[in-house]
């Protein structure tokens, strides 16, 4: 009798030798929310286990990251001041820019990624500059985003990640960074970003829910997988170093097809709603904790080299202890 794989799954040793996909701490990018103020390390109500940090409290976080081996983070800022053009997003002394300088000083080898978008900085909560009818003005927005990206590069970012979904954003950022003397700052395009309900907890954490309307004119329809491939093709063409699919778990088909089509380094973002869903289910005892491991493994198996996840530190700790 032939038992197919069963003989090769018989003991832990052969199981791990046969494992096709393995997670490690270096797969993860940890999203970090920085706020104005001092001595703040406050749990975010919509994202249990995730914190708002003021710049002076980042040393504790860096310690934690070092200890578990996660050496990359994606920064989001919650500014003290918002206006129609998101002016605080590109300030030299903006909250993200100060955080970048501090992180660089605390940990020179840290890989620092800055999320480039206006929605946390605009009083209307949209990702760009609006016209009188409330529609996003693509090209004016691009100029603002260039200023944000260059200010991040000056503050020491290794990579910028435009999450705005404006057309032509990667080409525009690339030209601006090169021109400002930062040809080695990389760009990760949020290339296939869907207009998803799974961003709910993030918008609460970042205070960035649109004051009116929605993001459907610039983010993609969840029904459209082929459109995602066209968006990714455009970002690749424009010079993106890494391309992203977001959310991750509800779009694994897109991730798999795109990563096989483009043969580029792919990132996937397990977003706030996906995190909250799993975390709450585990907390309530509805799911076993290994569901988290399984979800991350699936994202890697589908083709992601980099996984942006709020579970990064927890999972890296468990991988290190061997308790997954
Ligand atoms: C900003 C941005 C969002 C997320 C990342 N960058 C929110 C949005 O588009 O509304 C969501 C991340 C998450 O849900 O964890 N444009």
């Amino acid at each position: 009798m032939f038992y197919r794989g069963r003989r090769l799954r018989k003991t832990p040793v052969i199981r791990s030798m046969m494992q096709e996909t393995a997670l490690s701490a270096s797969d993860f990018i940890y999203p970090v929310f920085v706020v104005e103020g001092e001595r703040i390390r406050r749990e975010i109500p919509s994202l249990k286990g995730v914190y708002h940090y003021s710049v002076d409290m980042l040393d504790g976080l860096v310690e934690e990251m070092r200890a578990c081996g996660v050496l990359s983070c994606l920064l989001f800022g919650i500014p003290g001041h918002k206006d129609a053009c998101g002016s605080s997003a590109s300030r030299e002394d903006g909250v993200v820019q100060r955080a970048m300088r501090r992180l660089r000083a605390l940990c020179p080898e840290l890989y620092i990624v800055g999320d480039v978008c206006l929605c946390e900085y605009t009083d209307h909560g949209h990702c760009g500059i609006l016209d009188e009818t409330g529609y996003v003005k693509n090209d004016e927005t691009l100029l603002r985003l260039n200023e944000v990206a260059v200010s991040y590069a000056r503050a020491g970012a290794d990579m910028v990640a435009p999450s705005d979904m404006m057309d032509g954003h990667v080409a525009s950022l690339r030209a601006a960074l090169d021109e400002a003397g930062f040809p080695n700052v990389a760009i990760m395009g949020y290339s296939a970003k869907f207009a998803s309900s799974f961003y709910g907890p993030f918008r609460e954490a970042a205070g960035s829910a649109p004051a009116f309307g929605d993001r459907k004119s610039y983010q993609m329809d969840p029904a459209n997988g082929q459109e995602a491939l066209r968006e990714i093709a455009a970002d690749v063409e424009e010079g993106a170093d890494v391309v992203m699919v977001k959310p991750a778990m509800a779009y694994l088909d897109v991730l798999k097809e795109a990563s096989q089509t483009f043969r580029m380094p792919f990132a996937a973002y397990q977003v706030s709603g996906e995190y909250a869903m799993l975390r709450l289910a585990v907390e309530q005892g509805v799911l076993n904790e290994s569901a988290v491991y399984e979800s991350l493994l699936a994202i890697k198996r589908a083709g992601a080299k980099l996984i942006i996840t709020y579970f990064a530190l927890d999972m890296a700790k468990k991988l290190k202890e061997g308790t997954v």
Side-chain angles (χ1 to χ4, degrees):
M1 185 59 102
F2 181 55
Y3 294 118
R4 267 187 294 179
R6 220 172 300 167
R7 271 188 286 267
L8 297 178
R9 292 195 286 266
K10 211 171 129 204
T11 72
V13 173
I14 190 70
R15 270 204 297 277
S16 86
M17 288 170 94
M18 295 305 291
Q19 195 174 50
E20 295 171 27
T21 310
L23 288 172
S24 77
S26 62
D27 296 327
F28 302 135
I29 299 179
Y30 188 53
V32 175
F33 296 91
V34 279
V35 294
E36 296 285 2
E38 275 172 26
R39 304 220 52 78
I40 299 170
R41 180 186 182 270
R42 195 173 41 222
E43 191 170 47
I44 300 171
S46 61
L47 281 173
K48 283 195 159 173
V50 181
Y51 295 81
H52 279 144
Y53 293 91
S54 55
V55 174
D56 59 319
M57 295 296 276
L58 290 170
D59 22 346
L61 172 68
V62 166
E63 285 303 302
E64 221 185 316
M65 291 179 71
R66 269 217 181 95
C68 69
V70 173
L71 283 176
S72 177
C73 62
L74 170 61
L75 290 181
F76 293 97
I78 294 114
H81 166 78
K82 300 188 186 219
D83 56 29
C85 63
S87 59
S88 51
S90 55
R91 288 174 59 115
E92 221 53 46
D93 62 349
V95 69
V96 168
Q97 290 80 355
R98 283 189 289 117
M100 284 175 171
R101 291 196 174 89
R102 176 124 178 90
L103 288 169
R104 180 59 71 224
L106 288 166
C107 186
E109 71 273 30
L110 192 69
Y111 197 82
I112 302 175
V113 188
D115 183 90
V116 177
C117 194
L118 297 183
C119 65
E120 295 114 81
Y121 304 88
T122 51
D123 50 12
H124 47 68
H126 278 283
C127 300
I129 312 284
L130 302 181
D131 67 15
E132 319 65 56
T133 66
Y135 206 75
V136 165
K137 294 203 260 192
N138 196 86
D139 294 6
E140 275 187 38
T141 302
L142 290 181
L143 297 176
R144 282 290 299 130
L145 297 171
N146 288 349
E147 292 169 2
V148 178
V150 169
S151 75
Y152 286 177
R154 286 206 182 100
D158 295 293
M159 180 186 260
V160 295
S163 68
D164 50 278
M165 285 299 279
M166 297 302 124
D167 290 338
H169 61 178
V170 173
S172 163
L173 290 191
R174 185 69 274 152
L177 288 167
D178 289 353
E179 167 131 352
F182 299 105
N184 294 324
V185 170
I187 300 178
M188 171 163 66
Y190 280 72
S191 311
K193 178 168 173 182
F194 290 90
S196 172
S197 297
F198 286 101
Y199 306 147
F202 172 95
R203 290 182 186 169
E204 215 178 299
S208 66
F212 56 88
D214 54 42
R215 303 205 203 292
K216 287 183 182 149
S217 74
Y218 43 99
Q219 297 182 354
M220 279 188 315
D221 185 337
N224 295 359
Q226 293 307 309
E227 186 186 357
L229 294 183
R230 291 197 294 277
E231 290 281 357
I232 291 165
D235 280 5
V236 171
E237 182 75 13
E238 290 176 29
D241 301 283
V242 177
V243 280
M244 190 202 297
V245 173
K246 173 185 169 190
M249 291 161 69
Y251 298 86
L252 291 176
D253 58 326
V254 175
L255 176 60
K256 171 126 196 198
E257 188 174 354
S259 60
Q260 291 188 340
T261 305
F262 293 99
R263 302 278 166 199
M264 286 279 294
F266 264 80
Y269 198 147
Q270 184 181 50
V271 298
S272 56
E274 297 178 308
Y275 168 82
M277 201 165 63
L278 280 167
R279 170 118 197 170
L280 293 175
V282 170
E283 241 171 56
Q284 300 280 314
V286 176
L287 287 178
N288 187 301
E289 210 165 4
S290 58
V292 172
Y293 171 70
E294 203 175 315
S295 74
L296 295 167
L297 203 53
I299 295 168
K300 187 160 183 191
R301 196 182 62 234
K305 285 293 291 172
L306 304 87
I307 305 173
I308 303 162
T309 175
Y310 302 96
F311 286 117
L313 305 189
D314 285 353
M315 186 49 54
K317 264 177 226 152
K318 297 214 167 76
L319 289 166
K320 194 166 178 185
E321 293 160 0
T323 53
V324 279

